[in-house]
Amino acid sequence: MYTQEVTINNEVGLHARPATYFIRKANEFKSGIWVEKEDRRVNAKSLLGVLSLGIVKGTPIKLIADGPDEKEAVEALYKMISSDFSE
């Protein structure tokens, strides 16, 4: 299992378009991936799950992955979030 904390800094948080990009990226990996906010954990490959967390600008989240490409998955998602979802 590999985890990393990151703070969402883009203006709209993890909603609509950024969430879609995030989920597409998560689905590129074989590992199970989760997003944790406070005491709630959801599947990072589920749009409804991610949107249900209500992640806004300034929210710290934890990225968690478990599987054959767990480190690569977390690092790719961390990089995407850190760049404010710019491709």
Side-chain angles (χ1 to χ4, degrees), residues 29-74:
F29 299 94
K30 291 183 171 117
S31 295
I33 308 169
W34 300 271
V35 178
E36 193 171 85
K37 175 189 164 196
E38 296 163 358
D39 60 345
R40 289 194 55 216
R41 183 184 289 189
V42 300
N43 184 342
K45 298 179 181 183
S46 163
L47 182 60
L48 289 176
V50 171
L51 291 176
S52 75
L53 290 177
I55 299 169
V56 295
K57 182 177 180 174
T59 303
I61 62 169
K62 188 181 289 186
L63 302 171
I64 304 159
D66 190 23
D69 52 4
E70 61 192 29
K71 187 172 184 196
E72 295 87 351
V74 168

Side-chain angles (χ1 to χ4, degrees), residues 14 16-29 33 43-51 77 80 85:
L14 200 49
R17 188 169 290 139
T20 302
Y21 295 146
F22 181 85
I23 286 143
R24 278 190 199 143
K25 180 59 78 178
N27 277 296
E28 292 176 11
F29 299 94
I33 308 169
N43 184 342
K45 298 179 181 183
S46 163
L47 182 60
L48 289 176
V50 171
L51 291 176
L77 293 170
M80 175 183 268
F85 299 88

